[in-house]
């Protein structure tokens, strides 16, 4: 699935929500369903700076495709909201070419109203996560040349 297809799917899901609580329930569901990652991948150098929770984002580049492994804390499903936000970002950007990630507009998250209702700390953490994803894509796009 392309980034645009993933974004359209999520737009459709968010458009069906009857109230703002539904988006939080959706993110909590994503958090609980997210597999996380092996503890051996968790290294201080992969911590997303600025997140309310301790979040790890480990990039992998194989056959021209980006793979992202994300987890929070000690692999627990807490904090759920931060984990759900991370799972949503991974759902969109995982298994994509670096150039496609760089071409995607992060404003998508504002379009679906995701920033509304987030605490400033969570909003900053989510922005840091997206920045990290785009930074990894930039680095691997240079390697790919």
């Amino acid at each position: 699935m392309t980034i645009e297809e993933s974004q359209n799917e999520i737009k459709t899901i968010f458009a069906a929500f009857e109230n703002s609580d539904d988006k939080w329930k959706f993110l909590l569901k994503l958090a609980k369903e997210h597999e996380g990652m092996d503890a051996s991948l968790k290294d201080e150098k992969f911590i997303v700076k600025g997140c309310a929770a301790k979040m790890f984002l480990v990039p992998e580049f194989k056959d021209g495709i980006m793979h992202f492994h994300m987890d929070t804390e000690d692999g627990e499903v807490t904090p759920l909201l931060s984990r759900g936000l991370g799972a949503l970002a991974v759902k969109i950007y995982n298994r994509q070419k670096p150039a496609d990630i760089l071409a995607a507009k992060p404003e998508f998250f504002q379009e679906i109203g995701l920033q509304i209702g987030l605490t400033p700390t969570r909003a900053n953490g989510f922005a840091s996560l997206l920045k990290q994803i785009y930074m990894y894509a930039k680095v691997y796009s240079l390697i790919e040349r």
Side-chain angles (χ1 to χ4, degrees):
M1 187 178 291
T2 68
I3 291 173
E4 185 177 356
E5 289 169 339
S6 292
Q7 289 175 336
N8 287 337
E9 179 181 287
I10 291 166
K11 279 181 187 177
T12 301
I13 291 168
F14 272 63
F17 292 155
E18 293 182 17
N19 60 57
S20 62
D21 286 345
D22 290 342
K23 72 178 167 187
W24 307 122
K25 289 176 188 173
F26 175 74
L27 289 172
L28 296 178
K29 180 178 180 259
L30 284 180
K32 291 174 184 174
E33 293 173 350
H34 184 72
E35 288 184 28
M37 63 187 196
D38 190 85
S40 66
L41 294 174
K42 295 179 183 178
D43 187 299
E44 295 294 313
K45 66 183 175 190
F46 295 118
I47 291 177
V48 177
K49 306 282 190 268
C51 269
K54 191 176 205 178
M55 180 181 288
F56 297 89
L57 180 69
V58 180
E60 181 182 356
F61 187 65
K62 191 186 328 181
D63 299 325
I65 302 294
M66 297 288 312
H67 300 270
F68 293 103
H69 307 278
M70 183 280 304
D71 208 348
T72 53
E73 303 280 330
D74 294 315
E76 298 176 22
V77 293
T78 56
L80 285 173
L81 191 52
S82 294
R83 186 179 173 92
L85 289 166
L88 180 64
V90 168
K91 180 177 177 63
I92 292 170
Y93 298 111
N94 201 31
R95 296 185 185 96
Q96 301 295 332
K97 294 179 182 177
D100 293 340
I101 293 171
L102 294 171
K105 303 296 180 207
E107 293 84 20
F108 158 77
F109 297 102
Q110 292 172 346
E111 292 172 11
I112 61 171
L114 195 59
Q115 303 293 15
I116 298 170
L118 284 180
T119 64
T121 305
R122 281 220 174 83
N124 289 337
F126 188 61
S128 294
L129 173 65
L130 294 178
K131 183 178 177 182
Q132 194 84 10
I133 289 171
Y134 278 75
M135 191 262 315
Y136 285 136
K138 178 106 173 143
V139 168
Y140 286 108
S141 73
L142 297 173
I143 292 171
E144 190 175 36
R145 290 181 185 176

